[in-house]
Amino acid sequence: MERRLMAALAAWKDKTDRKPLILLGARQVGKTWLLKEFGKRYFGNVAYVNCDNNPQVEDLFSTDYDMERIVMTISAITHQTIVPGETLIILDEIQETSKGLASLKYFCEDAPEYHVAVAGSLLGIQLHQGESYPAGKVDTMTLYPMDFGEFLQARGEGRMAEILQSLNWKAISGLRSRFTQLLREYYFVGGMPEAVLKFVATKDPNAVRKIQTEILEAYRKDVSKHAPVGEVVRINQVWLSVPSQLARENKKFIYGAIKKGARAREFEVAIQWLIDAGLVYRIPRISKPAIPLKDYEDISSFKLFMLDCGLLGAMSNTPPVALLLPGGMEEGKGSFTENFICTQMETLPNVTISYYSREDSQLEIDFVLQLADIIIPIEVKAEENLKAKSLTTFLQAHHALHGLRFSMSDFREQTTLTNVPLYAATAFLRDTLKKRQAEIDRLLSGLL
């Protein structure tokens, strides 16, 4: 199993100003596996400690922050000789031990020669109470569910992934039926590593759905464990309403869909908890497509998408056959397609994602993406439909912008917009970002 973040971890290892690393991400996206695999590939040995319900580490940081004592104790617990530059220290679920997060400040200041990486769910670390966060003393990375390219690699379709990355549209068009089937599989399986590995090993949709259901149950238990008692019910109400919110033609989040008479002030904290936990992505409405997009956000209007297509199918109880077979689902296909595009964009570094709608609701653009220093209005089509009335009207009013339409049709370049096949969305966006960032770097190097 290959993860894109491995390259970033390798770069972190060799940084001269390296700090302890916190690998963030929703539960069960593969953080522990990735750190262990990173250690196996790039270090002589790994000193791994699971801090969750481990009596051996209960008092590891509570006495003092004597780094010599702490490193010696970790060595004793793991039965590993810890050598600076050669050993990766992994502290898993660090938020579960007293003063564990705070200790990272002292690893940074008093023992910078050691490579220290910690993993923990966003529920545990970002929402950790009663302990100061070591701001400025740590490096952070975020791991998301596997994107479509990573899914293809795990699926044994590495050559297909390479063809997508090449953006050789003639070759991609010739493999259209195969790519379409693989995309259907991704809609069903999603990118949670355990579900992907089960699908690869068994090709059994029922076994995959069982894994997805267990992950959803684990999330429910995590909310009960970490959330304030008074917010647990509201968090679950919001969480369970997401599939029905996305199934609506207008996917703007409606509080009344949670329960009759619901108001924003009742559920603001609950929604923020789900966002902080990495379980949903909040996509705000903007009033104007200009840089920076965040300056034009309407905080009262937004869409909520789930972190993973497979979990969306499991929560909505969509039959596997409806997602895997052609024509198996007519209604609701749009919600899976938009959720797919949202999850792929979320994995891109340093982007801002929003959507646009007029106050009269007569025109809506599914997504507006700020990618580096460019604004891209995006329309998403679940089928081959090339009609883009809203996008065309929007582009007529904003001549400087070039639109992007994702659909099941082949690649085509038009005067004001580009059509990209849905299965090539991830590769196209990553390539666009890479090229634009390279151009920015070139321009800046000429100025400085």
Side-chain angles (χ1 to χ4, degrees):
M1 187 167 67
E2 287 296 326
R3 302 303 307 266
R4 293 186 194 277
L5 210 59
M6 186 65 80
L9 290 172
W12 169 81
K13 175 182 182 293
D14 296 329
K15 282 175 59 177
T16 56
D17 58 346
R18 183 193 68 253
K19 302 172 185 176
L21 174 70
I22 297 181
L23 183 59
L24 298 169
R27 192 172 295 282
Q28 303 201 39
V29 296
K31 300 182 296 298
T32 300
W33 178 89
L34 180 59
L35 288 181
K36 286 183 173 180
E37 184 67 16
F38 169 54
K40 186 188 303 183
R41 294 186 189 183
Y42 291 93
F43 291 85
N45 65 322
V46 176
Y48 172 81
V49 179
N50 189 335
C51 301
D52 187 18
N53 197 28
N54 186 344
Q56 289 184 302
V57 297
E58 282 182 1
D59 300 320
L60 182 59
F61 307 108
S62 60
T63 305
D64 55 45
Y65 294 114
D66 180 342
M67 301 315 297
E68 183 178 354
R69 175 189 64 79
I70 289 171
V71 171
M72 187 183 303
T73 304
I74 292 173
S75 177
I77 292 172
T78 61
H79 304 289
Q80 296 289 326
T81 300
I82 298 177
V83 180
E86 297 181 15
T87 304
L88 176 64
I89 300 172
I90 301 176
L91 302 175
D92 203 358
E93 301 291 352
I94 192 172
Q95 75 282 355
E96 299 299 333
T97 187
S98 176
K99 298 184 180 180
L101 280 174
S103 73
L104 299 181
K105 172 184 176 181
Y106 299 93
F107 270 110
C108 176
E109 294 177 345
D110 301 335
E113 67 273 21
Y114 294 104
H115 287 78
V116 180
V118 307
S121 72
L122 282 162
L123 273 169
I125 289 183
Q126 298 218 134
L127 308 177
H128 197 58
Q129 297 178 358
E131 187 174 324
S132 61
Y133 187 86
K137 303 298 181 180
V138 293
D139 294 321
T140 60
M141 297 182 193
T142 301
L143 184 65
Y144 297 93
M146 300 171 75
D147 66 24
F148 186 54
E150 291 173 318
F151 170 79
L152 291 179
Q153 293 283 354
R155 176 77 172 75
E157 297 284 357
R159 183 57 185 146
M160 298 291 278
E162 291 173 4
I163 291 171
L164 281 183
Q165 290 169 9
S166 74
L167 299 183
N168 182 327
W169 298 115
K170 187 174 182 180
I172 291 170
S173 179
L175 294 165
R176 178 178 176 180
S177 61
R178 181 58 180 155
F179 278 125
T180 300
Q181 179 56 38
L182 289 168
L183 182 62
R184 289 194 194 101
E185 291 180 5
Y186 185 80
Y187 280 7
F188 165 65
V189 178
M192 303 303 287
E194 188 178 1
V196 173
L197 293 177
K198 178 62 72 172
F199 180 74
V200 170
T202 68
K203 303 297 189 295
D204 182 353
N206 295 318
V208 173
R209 180 53 60 84
K210 183 175 183 292
I211 294 293
Q212 293 166 337
T213 303
E214 290 171 352
I215 292 173
L216 290 173
E217 176 61 18
Y219 285 165
R220 187 190 66 79
K221 290 179 179 178
D222 275 350
V223 170
S224 297
K225 176 181 178 181
H226 292 284
V229 175
E231 292 295 334
V232 170
V233 171
R234 293 188 185 94
I235 291 171
N236 285 323
Q237 286 177 318
V238 173
W239 174 238
L240 294 174
S241 80
V242 173
S244 62
Q245 299 273 1
L246 291 176
R248 299 168 55 252
E249 185 174 354
N250 179 355
K251 295 174 176 57
K252 173 187 172 183
F253 190 86
I254 302 296
Y255 291 96
I258 302 175
K259 68 174 185 177
K260 188 176 180 179
R263 295 290 182 267
R265 63 178 179 274
E266 296 179 67
F267 292 95
E268 287 175 343
V269 173
I271 290 171
Q272 191 60 50
W273 266 78
L274 289 169
I275 294 168
D276 290 341
L279 301 186
V280 298
Y281 303 130
R282 181 184 182 275
I283 307 301
R285 175 185 173 274
I286 55 163
S287 59
K288 181 180 178 181
I291 291 177
L293 284 180
K294 287 186 177 295
D295 283 0
Y296 303 95
E297 289 183 2
D298 174 4
I299 61 173
S300 65
S301 298
F302 58 91
K303 302 176 184 179
L304 283 186
F305 292 93
M306 289 189 67
L307 79 160
D308 181 67
C309 291
L311 296 183
L312 174 62
M315 185 179 285
S316 61
N317 200 27
T318 302
V321 67
L323 293 167
L324 291 168
L325 293 182
M329 180 176 62
E330 295 303 324
E331 298 295 330
K333 191 177 296 184
S335 62
F336 278 89
T337 306
E338 282 195 41
N339 205 96
F340 164 70
I341 292 297
C342 181
T343 59
Q344 304 308 288
M345 291 192 297
E346 285 286 348
T347 67
L348 299 171
N350 302 317
V351 300
T352 302
I353 308 169
S354 59
Y355 80 98
Y356 173 87
S357 67
R358 287 199 318 224
E359 293 292 347
D360 59 12
S361 300
Q362 295 301 306
L363 183 149
E364 179 173 313
I365 305 301
D366 296 324
F367 297 104
V368 180
L369 180 68
Q370 181 182 327
L371 192 152
D373 65 336
I374 57 177
I375 298 293
I376 306 176
I378 298 173
E379 190 159 79
V380 179
K381 300 289 187 182
E383 297 295 346
E384 294 188 47
N385 185 355
L386 293 181
K387 294 180 181 179
K389 183 178 179 181
S390 291
L391 183 55
T392 301
T393 301
F394 182 81
L395 292 171
Q396 288 172 349
H398 301 88
H399 300 290
L401 301 181
H402 187 83
L404 185 58
R405 177 180 53 216
F406 293 119
S407 74
M408 292 307 295
S409 295
D410 289 334
F411 176 85
R412 67 182 66 185
E413 193 74 70
Q414 297 173 253
T415 305
T416 59
L417 64 89
T418 301
N419 185 84
V420 174
L422 282 163
Y423 40 79
T426 313
F428 182 84
L429 289 170
R430 286 188 172 276
D431 182 72
T432 302
L433 178 59
K434 180 180 178 181
K435 288 178 177 176
R436 187 55 197 159
Q437 193 60 59
E439 178 64 14
I440 292 172
D441 292 343
R442 185 187 69 79
L443 292 171
L444 289 176
S445 66
L447 293 174
L448 302 176

